[in-house]
Amino acid sequence: VTITGTSLLGGGSSATSVTLAGVPATVVFSNDTVIVVTAGAGASLAGLVGITANTGATTSSATNFTYIGVSSIQTVSPSFGQSGQLVTIVGLGLLGGGAHVTNVSLANISASILSENDTMVVVSAGFYVGPHLAGGDVKVISDTGSTVILSQAWNYSATGSVTSVSPSSGQVGTYVTIQGVGLRSGSRNVTAVTLAGVAATIVSENDTTVIVRAAAGPALGSASLNVVLTTETGSFVLAATSFRYLAPGQIVAVSPTFGQTGTR
């Protein structure tokens, strides 16, 4: 909260205390014309702004500061997942009196904000690679600096991994078998697979084996690119430099151009 005025310090050199609607605030910066404070915890109420300088001089505002209702996170759904997982956070006063949510973290890892309002924020879980990470806080910060936390509300599932891609090169129509652990990333289905950035057709899938058929892709010479499996929740498993598109085959001659059964 920024307080502006004249002679705010009453001849003193610093503000020693500030109250907002009777609630003590933390002084961040003060001079005779500008004081910046961080609001303390307060219930829904309104009251004057009071300033006390190091000389004991006091100054009060002519207008009220109003505490909005206490913000809270009520639900986090789902409460677990992997990188890319879509997570819906429902609560009250998530904007903290501001216009936007500026940061959301799940277990101290920043998430990408997809949509936000005062009662619902939807994010995509940030990148995490490692074992199961349990009991992480969900934190929502708005453009006013207000922070809403729900403790131990998010768990990163152990990261899925690809152990083999066979064959590791091919052309359009090639059947490719991807094997690994946790390929569904804790969700029900793998819904999309790309080979070297090109979407492939899923033939079958489960948590340990996914079979796809390659679509037409560019010949990349000796370069191998990523294989990425994405689930219905948006979480994904990546195998780096695991598939290479070969140059398309070409028929240059057929000889003879006629024949019967057994013709060579």
Side-chain angles (χ1 to χ4, degrees), residues 33-46:
T33 58
V34 178
I35 297 176
V36 180
V37 300
T38 301
S44 297
L45 54 90

Side-chain angles (χ1 to χ4, degrees), residues 9 11-16 52-57:
L9 302 181
S13 59
S14 63
T16 55
T52 302
N54 61 331
T55 62

Side-chain angles (χ1 to χ4, degrees), residues 41-263:
S44 297
L45 54 90
L48 300 180
V49 175
I51 302 168
T52 302
N54 61 331
T55 62
T58 59
T59 305
S60 295
S61 66
T63 57
N64 285 343
F65 177 85
T66 302
Y67 269 96
I68 61 176
V70 177
S71 300
S72 65
I73 296 173
Q74 298 173 328
T75 62
V76 177
S77 180
S79 59
F80 63 91
Q82 295 181 355
S83 303
Q85 172 79 49
L86 299 182
V87 182
T88 301
I89 302 165
V90 175
L92 297 173
L94 299 179
L95 297 181
H100 299 288
V101 171
T102 56
N103 183 268
V104 175
S105 62
L106 307 174
N108 290 323
I109 297 174
S110 292
S112 299
I113 300 169
L114 304 180
S115 65
E116 39 91 23
N117 59 40
D118 208 36
T119 58
M120 181 182 294
V121 179
V122 179
V123 300
S124 174
F127 187 68
Y128 171 77
V129 176
H132 179 65
L133 179 61
D137 295 347
V138 174
K139 183 185 296 184
V140 178
I141 301 174
S142 78
D143 55 358
T144 64
S146 69
T147 303
V148 189
I149 299 174
L150 185 60
S151 298
Q152 299 184 342
W154 172 258
N155 304 275
Y156 268 104
S157 303
T159 308
S161 63
V162 173
T163 56
S164 68
V165 176
S166 180
S168 59
S169 61
Q171 301 173 351
V172 58
T174 299
Y175 287 94
V176 181
T177 299
I178 304 161
Q179 293 186 308
V181 177
L183 300 181
R184 285 179 170 173
S185 302
S187 68
R188 294 179 299 176
N189 303 104
V190 174
T191 55
V193 176
T194 59
L195 304 174
V198 179
T201 301
I202 298 173
V203 178
S204 65
E205 57 82 30
N206 59 42
D207 208 39
T208 59
T209 303
V210 177
I211 298 174
V212 299
R213 195 173 191 189
L220 299 173
S222 60
S224 294
L225 297 181
N226 299 342
V227 172
V228 181
L229 292 75
T230 304
T231 72
E232 61 182 345
T233 61
S235 58
F236 62 88
V237 178
L238 180 148
T241 60
S242 296
F243 187 82
R244 176 168 58 96
Y245 268 99
L246 302 175
Q250 293 182 327
I251 298 173
V252 295
V254 176
S255 178
T257 57
F258 57 89
Q260 296 180 345
T261 302
T263 299

